[in-house]
Amino acid sequence: MTELKRIMHVEDDPSIQAVAKVALEVVGGFTVETCSGGEEALKSFHAFAPQLILLDVMMPGMDGPSTLKKMQSDFDLSAIPVVFMTAKVQANEIESYKALGAADVVVKPFDPMTLSDQIREIWQKLQ
């Protein structure tokens, strides 16, 4: 099984960016590339070469689903799971995210102490 090391986190809220970065880097030991929106994520995709993308659903400009669609058309995501982060987690909403190609959904607000474990569990299920 490949070890997960590089996570791209796409999130427009600076406070959530900061908490997630600490949760994933300090607690989880991952390397995190934080992008404040879909356009930035598209630009830094090749340079960072993420193994997993953590993608906020609701962002100004290009939202999560639009970012995912653009990434799917521009890049080969067959080995790169995309996990949506959202507070919108009704069963039908989760179904629609998975229908778009998301591997899983992390519920906001998330627990910074368990976020890395959640991401590792998702990664291991997909390996």
Side-chain angles (χ1 to χ4, degrees):
M1 176 192 300
T2 308
E3 184 185 353
L4 176 61
K5 294 180 181 154
R6 294 180 318 282
I7 299 173
M8 177 177 280
H9 181 219
V10 187
E11 167 65 61
D12 62 300
D13 183 323
S15 60
I16 296 173
Q17 286 176 359
V19 171
K21 191 164 182 82
V22 168
L24 294 169
E25 287 189 341
V26 177
V27 178
F30 298 111
T31 300
V32 177
E33 173 80 7
T34 303
C35 300
S36 55
E39 292 292 338
E40 187 180 335
L42 292 166
K43 286 184 185 131
S44 57
F45 185 89
H46 281 302
F48 183 66
Q51 292 174 283
L52 181 139
I53 300 167
L54 205 47
L55 184 55
D56 184 24
V57 170
M58 294 176 59
M59 298 183 289
M62 187 184 283
D63 67 2
S66 301
T67 301
L68 175 57
K69 285 179 187 155
K70 183 73 174 132
M71 284 180 162
Q72 288 167 329
S73 71
D74 290 4
F75 312 117
D76 176 9
L77 296 184
S78 60
I80 304 170
V82 175
V83 177
F84 276 125
M85 286 186 98
T86 183
K88 296 180 154 219
V89 289
Q90 299 295 326
N92 63 328
E93 291 166 322
I94 291 173
E95 294 288 320
S96 70
Y97 303 141
K98 289 189 175 180
L100 290 171
D104 214 325
V105 176
V106 170
V107 180
K108 280 181 174 177
F110 57 87
D111 178 348
M113 298 313 292
T114 61
L115 180 61
S116 292
D117 292 336
Q118 275 185 280
I119 298 302
R120 272 199 186 88
E121 282 172 27
I122 293 167
W123 179 256
Q124 286 167 355
K125 275 193 306 190
L126 299 170
Q127 294 301 299

